[in-house]
Structure formats: structure tokens, C-alpha cells
Amino acid sequence: GGFDERFVGWGGEDNEFWERAQTRKVYPYGYLPLVHLWHGLQPGKKYPSSAPGVALYQKLSELPVQERIRFLRAEQ
């Protein structure tokens, strides 16, 4: 299923993806070396509960993970 393309803007998409990923055998910790590309603050990148991505995540998190996976597989 990959990332849910219904997410627009910032917030929620990584959490939702990780919840679905945990239905598989995963290692929850990072490996070294870790690379992070620093960037300055981005206008509009805030996480208020009213942000579209956060609101979608809250709605989706009420559904069982397996149901979300079935939905995304059907969309392909």
C-alpha cells in the first residue's frame, strides 16, 4: 500500500504509515550511520490539530489497521 496519497500538507502521514508497517516484521530502531539533511523552518509547517494531514490521521486512526491496508490495496 505504501504511503496514503490522501495526505496533503504536513502531519500524520508518517504515523499512519508506521502503524500499517507494524503489521509486518519490522525493526523499530534506526541503523547507523544516520543522515539527516538540515533545512530551515518552512512557512506553514505547523502541526495544529486542524491541519488537513493531522485531521485525516485522526480519522484514519479510528479504523482498524487491516481495514486501512485493504483500502489502499484496492486503490492500486
Coordinates of all heavy atoms in Angstrom, one line a residue:
G1 N 0.8 -1.2 0.0 CA 0.0 0.0 0.0 C 0.8 1.3 0.0 O 0.4 2.3 -0.5
G2 N 2.0 1.3 0.6 CA 2.8 2.5 0.6 C 2.2 3.6 1.3 O 1.3 3.4 2.2
F3 N 2.6 4.8 1.0 CA 2.0 6.0 1.6 C 0.6 6.2 1.1 O 0.3 6.0 -0.1 CB 2.9 7.2 1.4 CG 4.0 7.4 2.3 CD1 5.3 7.0 1.9 CD2 3.9 7.8 3.6 CE1 6.4 7.1 2.7 CE2 5.0 7.9 4.5 CZ 6.2 7.5 4.0
D4 N -0.2 6.7 2.0 CA -1.6 7.0 1.6 C -1.6 8.4 0.9 O -1.3 9.4 1.5 CB -2.5 7.1 2.9 CG -4.0 7.1 2.6 OD1 -4.3 7.8 1.6 OD2 -4.7 6.6 3.4
E5 N -2.0 8.4 -0.4 CA -1.9 9.6 -1.2 C -3.0 10.6 -0.8 O -3.0 11.7 -1.4 CB -2.0 9.3 -2.7 CG -0.9 8.4 -3.2 CD 0.4 9.1 -3.2 OE1 0.5 10.3 -3.4 OE2 1.5 8.4 -2.9
R6 N -3.9 10.3 0.1 CA -4.9 11.3 0.5 C -4.3 12.3 1.4 O -4.9 13.4 1.7 CB -6.1 10.6 1.2 CG -6.9 9.7 0.2 CD -7.9 8.9 0.9 NE -7.3 7.9 1.8 CZ -8.0 7.1 2.6 NH1 -9.3 7.2 2.7 NH2 -7.3 6.2 3.3
F7 N -3.1 12.1 2.0 CA -2.5 13.1 2.8 C -2.0 14.3 2.0 O -1.3 14.1 1.0 CB -1.3 12.5 3.6 CG -1.8 11.7 4.8 CD1 -2.0 10.3 4.7 CD2 -2.0 12.3 6.0 CE1 -2.4 9.6 5.8 CE2 -2.5 11.6 7.1 CZ -2.7 10.2 7.0
V8 N -2.4 15.5 2.4 CA -1.9 16.7 1.8 C -1.3 17.6 2.9 O -1.9 17.8 3.9 CB -3.1 17.4 1.1 CG1 -2.7 18.7 0.5 CG2 -3.7 16.5 0.0
G9 N -0.2 18.2 2.6 CA 0.4 19.1 3.6 C 1.2 18.3 4.6 O 1.6 17.1 4.4
W10 N 1.4 18.9 5.7 CA 2.3 18.3 6.8 C 1.5 17.6 7.9 O 0.5 18.1 8.3 CB 3.2 19.4 7.4 CG 4.1 20.1 6.4 CD1 3.8 21.2 5.8 CD2 5.3 19.6 5.9 NE1 4.8 21.6 4.9 CE2 5.8 20.6 5.0 CE3 6.1 18.5 6.2 CZ2 7.0 20.4 4.4 CZ3 7.3 18.4 5.6 CH2 7.7 19.3 4.7
G11 N 2.0 16.5 8.3 CA 1.5 15.9 9.5 C 0.6 14.7 9.3 O -0.2 14.6 8.5
G12 N 0.9 13.6 10.1 CA 0.1 12.4 10.2 C 0.5 11.3 9.3 O 0.3 10.1 9.6
E13 N 1.1 11.6 8.1 CA 1.4 10.6 7.1 C 2.4 9.5 7.6 O 2.2 8.3 7.3 CB 1.8 11.1 5.8 CG 3.2 11.8 5.7 CD 3.2 13.2 6.3 OE1 2.2 13.8 6.7 OE2 4.3 13.8 6.2
D14 N 3.4 10.0 8.3 CA 4.4 9.0 8.8 C 3.9 8.1 9.9 O 4.2 6.9 9.9 CB 5.7 9.8 9.3 CG 6.4 10.5 8.2 OD1 6.4 10.0 7.0 OD2 7.0 11.5 8.5
N15 N 3.1 8.7 10.8 CA 2.5 7.9 11.8 C 1.5 6.8 11.3 O 1.6 5.7 11.7 CB 1.7 8.8 12.8 CG 2.5 9.9 13.4 OD1 3.0 10.8 12.8 ND2 2.7 9.7 14.7
E16 N 0.7 7.2 10.3 CA -0.2 6.3 9.7 C 0.5 5.2 9.0 O 0.2 4.0 9.1 CB -1.2 7.1 8.7 CG -2.5 6.3 8.4 CD -2.3 5.2 7.4 OE1 -1.5 5.4 6.5 OE2 -3.0 4.2 7.5
F17 N 1.6 5.5 8.2 CA 2.4 4.5 7.5 C 3.0 3.6 8.5 O 3.0 2.4 8.3 CB 3.4 5.2 6.7 CG 4.3 4.3 5.9 CD1 3.9 3.7 4.8 CD2 5.6 4.0 6.4 CE1 4.7 2.8 4.1 CE2 6.4 3.1 5.7 CZ 6.0 2.5 4.6
W18 N 3.6 4.1 9.6 CA 4.2 3.2 10.6 C 3.3 2.2 11.2 O 3.6 1.1 11.5 CB 5.0 4.1 11.6 CG 5.7 3.2 12.6 CD1 5.4 3.2 13.9 CD2 6.7 2.3 12.4 NE1 6.2 2.3 14.6 CE2 7.1 1.7 13.6 CE3 7.4 1.8 11.3 CZ2 8.1 0.7 13.8 CZ3 8.4 0.9 11.4 CH2 8.7 0.4 12.6
E19 N 2.1 2.7 11.5 CA 1.1 1.8 12.1 C 0.8 0.6 11.2 O 0.7 -0.5 11.6 CB -0.2 2.5 12.4 CG -0.1 3.5 13.5 CD -1.4 4.4 13.7 OE1 -2.3 4.2 13.0 OE2 -1.4 5.2 14.7
R20 N 0.7 0.9 9.9 CA 0.5 -0.2 8.9 C 1.7 -1.1 8.8 O 1.6 -2.3 8.6 CB 0.0 0.4 7.5 CG -1.4 0.9 7.6 CD -1.9 1.4 6.2 NE -1.2 2.6 5.8 CZ -0.4 2.7 4.8 NH1 -0.1 1.6 4.1 NH2 0.2 3.8 4.5
A21 N 2.9 -0.4 8.8 CA 4.2 -1.2 8.7 C 4.3 -2.2 9.8 O 4.9 -3.3 9.6 CB 5.3 -0.2 8.6
Q22 N 3.8 -1.8 11.0 CA 4.0 -2.7 12.1 C 3.2 -4.0 12.0 O 3.3 -4.9 12.9 CB 3.6 -2.0 13.4 CG 4.6 -0.9 13.8 CD 4.2 -0.1 15.0 OE1 3.2 0.4 15.1 NE2 5.1 -0.1 16.0
T23 N 2.4 -4.2 11.0 CA 1.7 -5.4 10.8 C 2.6 -6.4 10.2 O 2.3 -7.6 10.0 CB 0.4 -5.3 9.9 OG1 0.8 -4.9 8.6 CG2 -0.6 -4.3 10.5
R24 N 3.8 -6.0 9.8 CA 4.8 -6.9 9.2 C 6.0 -7.0 10.2 O 6.0 -6.3 11.2 CB 5.4 -6.3 7.9 CG 4.3 -5.8 6.9 CD 3.3 -6.8 6.5 NE 4.0 -7.8 5.7 CZ 3.4 -9.0 5.4 NH1 2.2 -9.2 5.8 NH2 4.0 -9.9 4.7
K25 N 6.9 -7.9 9.8 CA 8.1 -8.0 10.7 C 9.0 -6.8 10.4 O 9.5 -6.7 9.3 CB 8.8 -9.3 10.4 CG 10.0 -9.6 11.3 CD 10.6 -10.9 11.0 CE 11.7 -11.2 11.9 NZ 12.4 -12.4 11.7
V26 N 9.1 -5.9 11.4 CA 9.9 -4.7 11.3 C 10.9 -4.6 12.4 O 10.6 -5.1 13.5 CB 9.0 -3.4 11.1 CG1 8.2 -3.5 9.9 CG2 8.2 -3.2 12.4
Y27 N 11.9 -3.8 12.2 CA 12.9 -3.5 13.3 C 12.6 -2.0 13.6 O 12.9 -1.2 12.7 CB 14.3 -3.7 12.8 CG 15.3 -3.5 13.8 CD1 15.5 -4.4 14.9 CD2 16.2 -2.4 13.8 CE1 16.4 -4.2 15.9 CE2 17.1 -2.2 14.8 CZ 17.3 -3.1 15.8 OH 18.2 -2.9 16.8
P28 N 12.1 -1.7 14.8 CA 11.7 -0.3 15.1 C 12.8 0.7 15.4 O 12.5 1.8 15.7 CB 10.8 -0.5 16.3 CG 11.4 -1.7 17.0 CD 11.9 -2.6 15.9
Y29 N 14.1 0.3 15.2 CA 15.2 1.2 15.5 C 16.0 1.5 14.3 O 16.0 0.7 13.3 CB 16.0 0.6 16.6 CG 15.3 0.2 17.8 CD1 14.9 -1.1 18.1 CD2 14.8 1.2 18.7 CE1 14.1 -1.5 19.2 CE2 14.1 0.8 19.8 CZ 13.7 -0.5 20.1 OH 13.0 -0.8 21.2
G30 N 16.6 2.6 14.3 CA 17.4 3.0 13.1 C 18.8 2.4 13.1 O 19.2 1.8 14.1
Y31 N 19.4 2.4 12.0 CA 20.8 1.9 11.8 C 21.7 3.1 11.7 O 21.3 4.1 11.1 CB 20.9 1.0 10.6 CG 20.1 -0.3 10.7 CD1 18.8 -0.4 10.2 CD2 20.6 -1.4 11.4 CE1 18.0 -1.5 10.3 CE2 19.8 -2.6 11.5 CZ 18.6 -2.6 11.0 OH 17.9 -3.8 11.1
L32 N 22.9 2.9 12.1 CA 24.0 3.9 11.9 C 24.7 3.6 10.6 O 24.9 2.4 10.3 CB 24.9 4.0 13.1 CG 24.2 4.5 14.4 CD1 25.2 4.4 15.6 CD2 23.6 5.9 14.2
P33 N 25.3 4.5 9.9 CA 25.2 5.9 10.1 C 23.8 6.5 9.7 O 23.2 6.0 8.8 CB 26.3 6.5 9.2 CG 26.3 5.5 8.1 CD 26.0 4.2 8.7
L34 N 23.4 7.5 10.4 CA 22.1 8.1 10.1 C 22.4 9.5 9.5 O 23.3 10.2 9.9 CB 21.4 8.4 11.4 CG 20.1 9.1 11.3 CD1 19.0 8.3 10.6 CD2 19.6 9.5 12.7
V35 N 21.8 9.8 8.4 CA 22.0 11.0 7.7 C 20.7 11.8 7.7 O 19.6 11.3 7.4 CB 22.4 10.8 6.2 CG1 22.5 12.1 5.5 CG2 23.7 10.0 6.2
H36 N 20.7 13.1 8.2 CA 19.6 13.9 8.1 C 20.0 15.2 7.5 O 21.0 15.8 7.8 CB 19.1 14.2 9.6 CG 17.9 15.1 9.6 ND1 18.0 16.5 9.7 CD2 16.6 14.9 9.4 CE1 16.8 17.1 9.7 NE2 15.9 16.1 9.5
L37 N 19.2 15.6 6.5 CA 19.5 16.9 5.8 C 18.8 18.0 6.5 O 17.6 18.0 6.6 CB 19.0 16.8 4.3 CG 19.7 15.7 3.5 CD1 19.1 15.7 2.1 CD2 21.2 15.9 3.4
W38 N 19.6 18.9 7.1 CA 19.1 20.0 7.8 C 18.5 21.0 6.8 O 19.0 21.2 5.7 CB 20.1 20.7 8.6 CG 19.5 21.8 9.4 CD1 19.0 21.8 10.6 CD2 19.4 23.2 9.0 NE1 18.5 23.0 11.1 CE2 18.8 23.9 10.0 CE3 19.7 23.9 7.9 CZ2 18.5 25.2 10.0 CZ3 19.4 25.3 7.8 CH2 18.8 25.9 8.9
H39 N 17.4 21.6 7.2 CA 16.8 22.7 6.4 C 16.2 23.7 7.3 O 15.8 23.3 8.5 CB 15.7 22.1 5.4 CG 14.7 21.3 6.1 ND1 13.6 21.8 6.8 CD2 14.6 19.9 6.1 CE1 12.9 20.8 7.2 NE2 13.5 19.7 6.9
G40 N 16.0 24.9 6.9 CA 15.5 25.9 7.7 C 14.0 25.7 7.9 O 13.4 24.8 7.3
L41 N 13.4 26.5 8.8 CA 12.0 26.4 9.1 C 11.2 26.7 7.8 O 11.6 27.6 7.0 CB 11.6 27.4 10.1 CG 12.1 27.2 11.5 CD1 11.7 28.3 12.5 CD2 11.6 25.8 12.0
Q42 N 10.1 26.0 7.6 CA 9.3 26.2 6.4 C 8.0 26.9 6.7 O 7.3 26.5 7.7 CB 9.1 24.9 5.7 CG 10.4 24.2 5.3 CD 10.1 22.8 4.8 OE1 9.0 22.3 4.7 NE2 11.2 22.1 4.5
P43 N 7.7 27.9 6.0 CA 6.4 28.6 6.3 C 5.2 27.7 6.2 O 5.1 26.8 5.3 CB 6.3 29.7 5.2 CG 7.7 29.8 4.6 CD 8.4 28.5 4.9
G44 N 4.4 27.8 7.2 CA 3.2 26.9 7.2 C 3.4 25.5 7.7 O 2.4 24.7 7.8
K45 N 4.6 25.2 8.1 CA 4.8 23.8 8.6 C 4.6 23.8 10.1 O 5.5 24.0 10.9 CB 6.2 23.3 8.3 CG 6.5 21.9 8.7 CD 7.9 21.4 8.4 CE 8.0 20.0 8.9 NZ 9.4 19.5 8.7
K46 N 3.4 23.7 10.5 CA 3.0 23.7 11.9 C 2.0 22.5 12.0 O 1.5 22.0 11.0 CB 2.3 25.0 12.3 CG 3.2 26.2 12.2 CD 2.4 27.4 12.6 CE 3.4 28.6 12.5 NZ 2.7 29.9 12.8
Y47 N 1.8 22.0 13.2 CA 1.0 20.9 13.4 C -0.2 21.1 14.3 O -0.4 20.4 15.2 CB 1.8 19.7 14.0 CG 3.0 19.3 13.1 CD1 4.2 19.7 13.3 CD2 2.7 18.5 12.0 CE1 5.3 19.3 12.5 CE2 3.7 18.1 11.2 CZ 5.0 18.5 11.4 OH 6.0 18.1 10.6
P48 N -1.0 22.1 13.9 CA -2.2 22.3 14.7 C -3.2 21.1 14.4 O -3.1 20.5 13.4 CB -2.8 23.6 14.2 CG -2.3 23.7 12.8 CD -0.9 23.0 12.8
S49 N -4.0 20.8 15.4 CA -5.0 19.7 15.2 C -5.9 19.9 14.0 O -6.5 19.0 13.5 CB -5.7 19.5 16.5 OG -6.5 20.6 16.8
S50 N -6.0 21.2 13.5 CA -6.9 21.4 12.4 C -6.2 21.3 11.1 O -6.8 21.4 10.0 CB -7.4 22.9 12.5 OG -6.4 23.8 12.5
A51 N -4.9 21.0 11.0 CA -4.1 20.8 9.8 C -4.8 19.6 9.0 O -5.1 18.6 9.7 CB -2.7 20.5 10.1
P52 N -4.9 19.7 7.7 CA -5.6 18.6 7.0 C -4.9 17.2 7.2 O -5.7 16.2 7.4 CB -5.4 19.0 5.5 CG -5.2 20.5 5.6 CD -4.5 20.8 6.9
G53 N -3.6 17.1 7.2 CA -3.0 15.8 7.4 C -3.2 15.3 8.8 O -3.5 14.1 8.9
V54 N -3.2 16.1 9.8 CA -3.4 15.6 11.2 C -4.9 15.2 11.3 O -5.2 14.2 11.9 CB -3.1 16.8 12.2 CG1 -3.4 16.3 13.6 CG2 -1.6 17.1 12.1
A55 N -5.8 16.0 10.7 CA -7.2 15.6 10.8 C -7.5 14.3 10.1 O -8.2 13.5 10.6 CB -8.1 16.7 10.2
L56 N -6.8 14.1 9.0 CA -7.0 12.8 8.3 C -6.4 11.7 9.1 O -7.1 10.6 9.2 CB -6.4 12.9 6.9 CG -6.4 11.6 6.1 CD1 -7.9 11.1 5.8 CD2 -5.7 11.7 4.7
Y57 N -5.3 11.9 9.7 CA -4.7 10.8 10.5 C -5.6 10.5 11.7 O -5.8 9.3 12.0 CB -3.3 11.2 11.0 CG -2.8 10.3 12.1 CD1 -2.5 9.0 11.7 CD2 -2.6 10.7 13.4 CE1 -2.0 8.1 12.7 CE2 -2.2 9.8 14.3 CZ -1.9 8.5 14.0 OH -1.4 7.6 14.9
Q58 N -6.1 11.5 12.3 CA -7.0 11.2 13.5 C -8.3 10.4 13.0 O -8.7 9.5 13.7 CB -7.5 12.5 14.1 CG -6.3 13.2 14.8 CD -6.7 14.6 15.3 OE1 -7.6 15.2 14.8 NE2 -5.9 15.1 16.2
K59 N -8.8 10.7 11.8 CA -9.9 10.0 11.3 C -9.5 8.5 11.0 O -10.2 7.6 11.3 CB -10.5 10.7 10.1 CG -11.6 10.0 9.4 CD -12.1 10.8 8.2 CE -13.2 10.1 7.5 NZ -13.6 10.8 6.3
L60 N -8.4 8.4 10.3 CA -8.0 7.0 9.9 C -7.6 6.2 11.1 O -7.8 5.0 11.1 CB -6.8 7.1 8.9 CG -7.1 7.7 7.5 CD1 -5.8 7.9 6.7 CD2 -8.1 6.8 6.8
S61 N -7.0 6.8 12.1 CA -6.6 6.0 13.3 C -7.7 5.4 14.0 O -7.5 4.5 14.8 CB -5.7 6.9 14.2 OG -6.5 7.9 14.8
E62 N -8.9 5.8 13.7 CA -10.1 5.2 14.4 C -10.5 3.9 13.7 O -11.2 3.1 14.2 CB -11.3 6.2 14.3 CG -11.1 7.4 15.1 CD -12.2 8.4 14.9 OE1 -13.2 8.1 14.2 OE2 -12.1 9.5 15.5
L63 N -9.9 3.7 12.5 CA -10.2 2.4 11.7 C -9.2 1.4 12.1 O -8.0 1.7 12.3 CB -10.2 2.7 10.2 CG -11.2 3.7 9.7 CD1 -10.9 4.0 8.2 CD2 -12.6 3.2 9.9
P64 N -9.5 0.1 12.1 CA -8.5 -0.9 12.3 C -7.5 -0.9 11.2 O -7.8 -0.6 10.0 CB -9.3 -2.2 12.2 CG -10.7 -1.8 12.4 CD -10.9 -0.4 11.9
V65 N -6.2 -1.2 11.5 CA -5.1 -1.1 10.6 C -5.4 -2.0 9.4 O -5.1 -1.6 8.2 CB -3.8 -1.5 11.3 CG1 -2.6 -1.5 10.3 CG2 -3.5 -0.4 12.3
Q66 N -5.9 -3.2 9.6 CA -6.1 -4.1 8.5 C -7.1 -3.5 7.5 O -7.0 -3.8 6.3 CB -6.6 -5.5 9.0 CG -5.5 -6.2 9.7 CD -4.3 -6.6 8.9 OE1 -4.3 -6.6 7.7 NE2 -3.2 -6.8 9.5
E67 N -8.1 -2.8 8.0 CA -9.1 -2.2 7.1 C -8.4 -1.1 6.2 O -8.7 -1.0 5.0 CB -10.2 -1.6 7.9 CG -11.4 -1.1 7.1 CD -12.5 -0.6 8.0 OE1 -12.8 -1.2 9.0 OE2 -13.2 0.4 7.6
R68 N -7.5 -0.3 6.8 CA -6.8 0.7 6.0 C -5.9 0.0 5.0 O -5.8 0.5 3.8 CB -5.9 1.5 7.0 CG -6.7 2.4 7.9 CD -5.7 3.3 8.7 NE -5.7 2.8 10.1 CZ -4.7 3.1 10.9 NH1 -3.7 3.8 10.6 NH2 -4.8 2.7 12.2
I69 N -5.3 -1.1 5.3 CA -4.4 -1.8 4.3 C -5.3 -2.3 3.2 O -4.9 -2.2 2.0 CB -3.7 -3.0 5.0 CG1 -2.6 -2.4 6.0 CG2 -3.0 -3.9 4.0 CD1 -2.0 -3.4 6.9
R70 N -6.4 -2.9 3.5 CA -7.3 -3.4 2.4 C -7.8 -2.3 1.5 O -7.8 -2.4 0.3 CB -8.6 -4.1 3.0 CG -8.3 -5.5 3.4 CD -9.6 -6.3 3.8 NE -10.3 -5.7 4.9 CZ -10.1 -5.9 6.2 NH1 -9.2 -6.8 6.5 NH2 -10.8 -5.4 7.1
F71 N -8.1 -1.1 2.1 CA -8.5 0.0 1.3 C -7.4 0.5 0.3 O -7.6 0.7 -0.9 CB -8.9 1.2 2.1 CG -9.2 2.5 1.4 CD1 -10.4 2.7 0.8 CD2 -8.2 3.4 1.2 CE1 -10.6 3.8 0.0 CE2 -8.4 4.6 0.5 CZ -9.7 4.8 -0.1
L72 N -6.2 0.6 0.8 CA -5.1 1.0 -0.1 C -4.7 0.0 -1.1 O -4.4 0.4 -2.2 CB -3.8 1.4 0.8 CG -4.0 2.6 1.7 CD1 -2.8 2.8 2.6 CD2 -4.2 3.9 0.8
R73 N -4.8 -1.3 -0.8 CA -4.6 -2.3 -1.8 C -5.6 -2.3 -2.9 O -5.3 -2.5 -4.1 CB -4.5 -3.7 -1.2 CG -3.3 -3.9 -0.4 CD -3.2 -5.3 0.1 NE -2.0 -5.6 0.8 CZ -1.7 -6.6 1.6 NH1 -2.7 -7.4 1.9 NH2 -0.6 -6.8 2.1
A74 N -6.8 -2.0 -2.6 CA -7.9 -1.9 -3.6 C -7.8 -0.7 -4.5 O -8.2 -0.7 -5.6 CB -9.3 -1.8 -2.9
E75 N -7.1 0.4 -4.0 CA -6.9 1.6 -4.8 C -5.9 1.4 -5.9 O -5.8 2.2 -6.8 CB -6.5 2.7 -3.9 CG -7.6 3.2 -3.0 CD -8.7 3.9 -3.7 OE1 -8.4 4.8 -4.5 OE2 -9.8 3.4 -3.6
Q76 N -5.0 0.4 -5.9 CA -3.9 0.2 -6.8 C -4.5 -0.1 -8.2 O -5.3 -0.8 -8.5 CB -2.9 -0.8 -6.4 CG -2.2 -0.3 -5.2 CD -1.1 -1.3 -4.7 OE1 -0.9 -2.4 -5.3 NE2 -0.5 -1.0 -3.6

